[in-house]
Amino acid sequence: MVASQTGRDSYQALDDNQTSRTSLGRVAVTSLAGLLALVVAFAAGRSSASEVHQAGGAAAAFSEEAPNKPVGLWEPQLSPAFHEEPIAKNTVRRFDAYLMQMAAFADPQTKLANVEQWLAPDFQYETVGFPTSRTPAGWCVSGEEQQFRTTFNMSVFSQMLFFGSDDMATTTSYGNVFWKEPLFGVPAPKEWVYFRVTDFYSARKTTPTRGQLYYNFMMIDFADLLRRVGRPVLPKAALPEGLVLTSEADDGVPAPLSVVARAQDSAAAQKVSLAALQEDWAGSGPAETKAWASDMIFYGPGGIGTARGTEQYHKHVLEPFRAAFADRQVETKIFGCEGNYCGAFGELRGRHVGTWLGLKASGKPVAIRFAFHWHVTDGRVKEGWAIFDVPGLFQQVGLDFFAIAAETPMQI
């Protein structure tokens, strides 16, 4: 069911066995001073995270904190340009600011008390590979947050897109991280690496101007990450892989600034984006590209690559997918727009009848989690961004994506 901009309380949790990763709180670095601060913060925080969660677990370490210790709550100082942002977007902005500027230096009690300003008591976090969490403490103290900081002990994230409404928000970003420890059995290269990451959030109002997040889905483009470190799992794409850019527009970086988006037609963008979602990925007929501009750009994930123009998009993106899956349906979990930008998170469902991304037909019904973003201009999609849960697809056909990567001989 498509989630409207009035809320997503009917959301049904996805399969707990298909966990993923959200880039929870990664903001663009806009100055040299900010860049240095972020690197230092994450270096310190991720080293301390591994020390806090030793024998006895994170919960035990947390319980040893003085239970009545006074905790100061931190409030970011934001530019006045951000004060009238949609509620979900502004909530993510404040949450991100704390994670990037303060969290690395906080003890578990202080950190949890602060993130609970922006995370609802029923907060659920789902991701690829990392564990699912169902409370703020589960994520903050012993879940993905701790594991991520241990694996990637230094990191800087740059957002390309960041938009939302009062009840949803989304980002697509890239991270430059130092991969220090093994990840899901894949040996650490112990070097700086790059990966794409996307987040989708659902929020509810707590006051007329504030809100809390009750759901976050995060997904890393693991296919591209492992290709970059010399452990490719997927065949080489027919299209160029690797380079993904922000929008070709003067809407701000990350796009769009809300003060700019207010003057744009989000209703028209929503109509075109929903048409692209259904026409491209659902139905039983031939692939069509009626929603796209002829000079469009589609930034696909690892294994697919970047398509420039509708001919490449049709031939190398849509046709292989539609040939590989019958009875195609789209189930949307989160959808929303701001200005000329729209995003959708959900599942592509179908029966696996042909080869896709090197996976031969299994005949099984599958559900592939997706994250799509679209930039609409002049009534057509000008740019698109996509990441798929490829490890989850492998699991559904009986294969272990990360075990294959771990066993793959290094390719230089």
Side-chain angles (χ1 to χ4, degrees), residues 161 163 246-251 255-256 264 269 272-273 291-293 296-297 338-343 372-385:
L161 304 178
F163 58 88
T246 188
S247 175
E248 292 185 351
D250 54 1
D251 297 334
Q264 299 172 347
V272 173
S273 298
W292 294 81
M296 53 81 73
I297 303 175
E338 185 181 10
N340 291 339
Y341 297 83
C342 293
F372 290 135
H373 296 88
W374 301 274
H375 176 213
V376 177
T377 61
D378 300 323
R380 293 286 185 272
V381 179
K382 172 68 173 179
E383 297 162 297
W385 297 260

Side-chain angles (χ1 to χ4, degrees), residues 13-14 20 50 57 71 116 131 145 148 170 232 259 269 290 297 329 377:
L14 301 179
S20 314
S50 61
V71 173
E116 285 179 334
E145 166 73 353
F148 183 91
T170 182
V259 291
K290 294 185 295 184
I297 303 175
Q329 296 180 330
T377 61

Side-chain angles (χ1 to χ4, degrees), residues 143-162:
E144 177 272 344
E145 166 73 353
Q146 183 267 331
Q147 290 194 22
F148 183 91
R149 288 177 180 265
T150 300
T151 303
F152 305 111
N153 69 314
M154 293 184 287
S155 63
V156 178
F157 285 85
S158 302
Q159 290 178 336
M160 295 179 284
L161 304 178
F162 178 24

Side-chain angles (χ1 to χ4, degrees), residues 71-75 110 113-114 117:
V71 173
L73 298 182
W74 183 81
E75 180 69 17
T110 301
N114 273 278
Q117 296 180 90

